[in-house]
Amino acid sequence: MKKIKAVMVGQPNVGKSSIINAISNARLHVGNFAGVTVEKKEVEITKNEYELDIVDLPGIYSLHAYTPEEHVTKKYLLQEEYDVIINVVDANVLQRNLIFTLQLLDMQKKMILVVNMIDEVEEKGGSIDAQKLSELLGIPVILTSAKQKRGVEEIPDKLIEIYESTRCDCKIYYNEKIEEEIEKLSTILLKSPHIQDSKIARFYTIRLLEKDEDVYKIIHDLPIFLELHEALGESMKRLELEFDIDDVRDLFAQERNALAKSIVMQVMQLPRKESLTDKIDKILIHPIFGLPIFLFFMWALFQLTFEIGSIPMDYIDQTVSNFADWLKGILPPGDLNSVITDGVIPAVGAIIMFLPNILILFLGINLLEQTGYMSRAAFLLDGFLKKFGLQGKAFIPLVSGFGCTVPAYMAARTLKNPKDRLITMLILGFMNCSARLPVYVLFIAAFFPTHSAGNVLFAIYILGAILGLIVAKILRIVLFKGEPEPFVMEMPPYRFPSLKALAMELWIKTKLFIKKAGTFIAGTAMIIWFLSSYPVDQKLIHIYEQKIEFAKSEQEKTKLQNELAAKSLENSYLGQFGKAIEPIFAPLGFDWRMSVATISGLAAKEVVVSTLATLYAVGEADENNSTFIQKLRENIDFKAAIALIIIIMIYSPCVAAMSTFYAEVPQWAWRTFYTIYPNVLAWIMAFLAYNILSVAGF
């Protein structure tokens, strides 16, 4: 059986995922590309005597890569082995999409052009001549509608057909003067024994004229580099003088634009009537009503996230507790039993409990993306965010940050400009994620009247977001001087979301979340369990066991057991650590217990609640436990409680989020800055709040 390897490429939002889902019929394999956390979808299907392996590469606008996803796609296209390129374009914006197609044609590899969403063009009275388009580009063209599953079944057949064909008429010809320079430079390149293929020499030459650093690195070590480098500089000067331009890249952009426009004029009959998208846009991006409508959508999404998401939390919590109790009963008593049932399962359960909230948020964000509204929202907020040194697209990761900071850091990849992306990532920790909610609920219940609890919670979330914007402005003024990148974002037509694609995306994100949260939390839980369980004070245990044995009531027994747990914890490595760091937090009114709880929150914010419950000897407790609340009131004053809320609101997010940041930002200088500055800022803000409240008489 012959094997054919194909790669599917295209700009974002052209419907690649829908097409590959339609082809795969649930035979989709999902993972990450080697060494990077960028999603990789792959499908293997059998057709006649062929085994087809299709890899869906991340969306890319051009071979000038900016985002991590674009770099992955470009690297794959340039360096990996494959037989055919399946290039997917959006029929609604054919001219713009064809510019990337023309860049791909420079590679002179076997390629199929899939013109998706043709149904939307036809509904508006337009049409595309596929035969003519195929003749002009020199490659097979298929008109498809993934939504209607129209034309999709032709892709495997066409894939086999072009694989078996011996010739490719897909060469693009530029202006005569440009071709002359390409020819001169290609001749020099072919002198190298490492480059014997004239097609590769031509492609490298074009990329070098476009100042492609990745290709430059490939050529740099070749023996003909010095000759080529000198000739390249001369060619660029000649072209700049000939066409009166400052940069040869602009020349190629103009050439491809003109070519794409010419092709579309020959093959496409444009829609005649005002589209539904135009009518909807008159309302949704209205200069006056657009922003209030967007805020309503966001308010509704957060209401659904927290109201509906909280319903299954108790059931999940109870199920995890029952499972831990059951396992405790069947495992032999000892350290293994304790680390699994007291450490790993409760800690992993605390994360899984928030899965419904996160799924609802992901679903809402996916819906906004698939319908095409997300880019409109970015357009609406661009002016407001720009005042704080942020770009309009930054709102997407900022919104995601209210659910979980881990996907928010990954969502920042949509920002092309490295400075804009870094500023956004540096303030994402100020968007209060759902993991901080249990801490807020606990302290609000303990230190504020019930009738004002909702307002206090709302104020905490708003203040976090405002602080983030202020810090962004300061970072822009001090460290990232200059204006944010001008807002340019494609406005795709509105579409009814594909339920299958929604379900698939949700399933993929769920698997990744559970895998990451589960593996990380399980590891962290084991470390915390060890630090809080050792060294074991046998003498103390013996004394308390005797006291418990002679206790007169169950209430007294429970009290003694809690005292034993608290003293054991105080003597543990974790307790010793808390005593050691107590001087750092003493100016904020924290005792060693609050210091330990604060540090434990770096692993996961929910751990703060369970750590405080153990340290204050109330046994197993949650944020609604009245005994726990009473203990907090007896041991923590109002000023220290406010200081702790401020610390939780500002300091570093959990280790999982920090690990994601480190993975996304390779520079150690920024990693160090990111690790230090929010913690210093949190301490200063908490110190100010504590002392202002002291002066005010609290």
Side-chain angles (χ1 to χ4, degrees), residues 22-34:
I23 294 174
S24 67
N25 287 325
R27 281 170 289 179
L28 199 63
H29 305 286
V30 178
N32 281 328
F33 289 92

Side-chain angles (χ1 to χ4, degrees), residues 454-521:
N455 293 333
V456 175
L457 187 62
F458 180 74
I460 289 172
Y461 275 80
I462 291 294
L463 285 173
I466 291 172
L467 181 65
L469 293 175
I470 293 170
V471 171
K473 184 67 177 176
I474 294 169
L475 289 173
R476 176 64 76 179
I477 293 170
V478 179
L479 297 176
F480 300 93
K481 291 178 182 174
E483 290 297 314
E485 189 178 79
F487 180 76
V488 180
M489 193 166 181
E490 193 174 324
M491 295 281 188
Y494 291 105
R495 300 189 184 96
F496 192 79
S498 159
L499 295 179
K500 187 176 178 182
L502 271 178
M504 187 65 76
E505 288 294 320
L506 214 54
W507 170 236
I508 291 168
K509 285 189 165 58
T510 303
K511 272 206 308 187
L512 290 174
F513 177 81
I514 290 177
K515 186 180 172 186
K516 284 179 183 174
T519 50
F520 168 75
I521 291 294

Side-chain angles (χ1 to χ4, degrees), residues 1-6 47-52 83-85 109-112 140 155-168:
M1 186 171 279
K2 291 183 182 177
K3 285 191 176 182
I4 303 175
K5 183 150 192 174
K47 183 79 178 180
N48 301 331
E49 299 298 317
Y50 296 88
E51 195 174 293
L52 310 178
D83 302 304
V84 182
I85 296 173
K109 284 185 176 280
K110 291 179 179 178
M111 188 162 86
I112 301 169
I155 295 174
D157 294 326
K158 201 61 80 176
L159 196 58
I160 295 168
E161 185 184 315
I162 192 167
Y163 173 77
E164 291 295 351
S165 66
T166 53
R167 51 177 296 192
C168 172

Side-chain angles (χ1 to χ4, degrees), residues 584-684:
I584 299 172
F585 293 96
L588 312 179
F590 290 14
D591 61 6
W592 73 269
R593 298 175 184 83
M594 291 177 74
S595 304
V596 168
T598 304
I599 297 297
S600 70
L602 289 172
K605 293 293 175 281
E606 306 93 327
V607 178
V608 173
V609 174
S610 58
T611 306
L612 282 172
T614 310
L615 293 174
Y616 284 111
V618 291
E620 292 181 3
D622 57 31
E623 63 273 18
N624 298 314
N625 188 302
S626 58
T627 308
F628 189 14
I629 288 172
Q630 188 56 39
K631 281 276 183 183
L632 291 180
R633 286 174 182 160
E634 289 170 3
N635 290 278
I636 301 173
D637 66 17
F638 181 73
K639 305 186 292 293
I642 295 297
L644 181 68
I645 289 175
I646 291 173
I647 288 277
I648 298 292
M649 195 170 81
I650 301 175
Y651 80 149
S652 289
C654 65
V655 177
M658 287 193 277
S659 303
T660 309
F661 181 93
Y662 295 152
E664 295 291 307
V665 180
Q667 299 89 353
W668 275 106
W670 287 118
R671 288 176 175 179
T672 307
F673 178 72
Y674 162 82
T675 307
I676 295 172
Y677 102 90
N679 299 307
V680 174
L681 180 64
W683 192 94
I684 292 171

Side-chain angles (χ1 to χ4, degrees), residues 90-229:
D90 182 348
N92 295 284
V93 283
L94 184 60
Q95 183 178 329
R96 196 154 55 235
N97 278 200
L98 277 181
I99 293 169
F100 176 55
T101 304
L102 296 175
Q103 278 190 330
L104 291 175
L105 287 174
D106 283 336
M107 298 174 77
Q108 297 187 66
K109 284 185 176 280
K110 291 179 179 178
M111 188 162 86
I112 301 169
L113 184 69
V114 177
V115 184
N116 195 27
M117 304 176 199
I118 186 64
D119 55 312
E120 295 176 9
V121 172
E122 291 175 349
E123 280 173 13
K124 293 178 280 185
S127 65
I128 291 174
D129 185 341
Q131 181 63 34
K132 182 76 175 173
L133 183 57
S134 175
E135 289 170 7
L136 291 172
L137 294 174
I139 55 174
V141 174
I142 307 172
L143 302 182
T144 65
S145 165
K147 189 169 66 178
Q148 299 176 350
K149 291 194 175 180
R150 171 182 155 194
V152 176
E153 70 284 353
E154 288 182 44
I155 295 174
D157 294 326
K158 201 61 80 176
L159 196 58
I160 295 168
E161 185 184 315
I162 192 167
Y163 173 77
E164 291 295 351
S165 66
T166 53
R167 51 177 296 192
C168 172
D169 301 321
C170 50
K171 185 176 173 182
I172 292 295
Y173 290 92
Y174 296 98
N175 180 286
E176 187 182 343
K177 298 289 182 188
I178 300 174
E179 287 293 336
E180 281 178 16
E181 301 301 333
I182 293 173
E183 183 64 30
K184 285 177 192 170
L185 295 172
S186 297
T187 306
I188 298 173
L189 263 179
L190 286 168
K191 289 180 186 176
S192 168
H194 300 87
I195 301 176
Q196 293 299 300
D197 188 334
S198 60
K199 291 180 180 176
I200 293 177
R202 177 184 169 81
F203 174 64
Y204 281 178
T205 300
I206 293 170
R207 299 306 307 160
L208 286 170
L209 285 167
E210 292 196 76
K211 300 179 182 175
D212 188 322
E213 291 183 3
D214 295 321
V215 176
Y216 195 84
K217 286 174 188 170
I218 296 172
I219 304 299
H220 185 267
D221 295 331
L222 299 182
I224 45 81
F225 174 73
L226 288 177
E227 182 184 354
L228 179 73
H229 187 263

Side-chain angles (χ1 to χ4, degrees), residues 350-526:
I351 295 298
I352 294 175
M353 203 162 63
F354 290 99
L355 186 60
N357 305 67
I358 291 164
L359 286 183
I360 293 169
L361 193 64
F362 280 150
L363 179 65
I365 291 172
N366 276 346
L367 269 173
L368 293 177
E369 281 178 348
Q370 282 208 16
T371 53
Y373 181 68
M374 198 63 102
S375 51
R376 270 94 180 161
F379 168 76
L380 285 168
L381 284 176
D382 182 55
F384 173 76
L385 291 177
K386 200 167 277 182
K387 291 176 183 170
F388 294 94
L390 293 168
Q391 206 213 39
K393 280 186 192 175
F395 108 96
I396 297 171
L398 293 179
V399 166
S400 304
F402 285 109
C404 177
T405 318
V406 173
Y409 283 136
M410 297 171 82
R413 293 172 176 177
T414 52
L415 296 159
K416 286 186 177 181
N417 186 296
K419 282 186 182 177
D420 295 345
R421 185 164 65 248
L422 196 50
I423 291 180
T424 304
M425 293 179 76
L426 286 171
I427 64 161
L428 274 176
F430 298 118
M431 306 301 123
N432 282 298
C433 65
S434 55
R436 301 181 202 201
L437 192 59
V439 188
Y440 296 147
V441 171
L442 172 67
F443 276 77
I444 289 170
F447 295 97
F448 290 90
T450 307
H451 61 83
S452 62
N455 293 333
V456 175
L457 187 62
F458 180 74
I460 289 172
Y461 275 80
I462 291 294
L463 285 173
I466 291 172
L467 181 65
L469 293 175
I470 293 170
V471 171
K473 184 67 177 176
I474 294 169
L475 289 173
R476 176 64 76 179
I477 293 170
V478 179
L479 297 176
F480 300 93
K481 291 178 182 174
E483 290 297 314
E485 189 178 79
F487 180 76
V488 180
M489 193 166 181
E490 193 174 324
M491 295 281 188
Y494 291 105
R495 300 189 184 96
F496 192 79
S498 159
L499 295 179
K500 187 176 178 182
L502 271 178
M504 187 65 76
E505 288 294 320
L506 214 54
W507 170 236
I508 291 168
K509 285 189 165 58
T510 303
K511 272 206 308 187
L512 290 174
F513 177 81
I514 290 177
K515 186 180 172 186
K516 284 179 183 174
T519 50
F520 168 75
I521 291 294
T524 310
M526 280 192 263

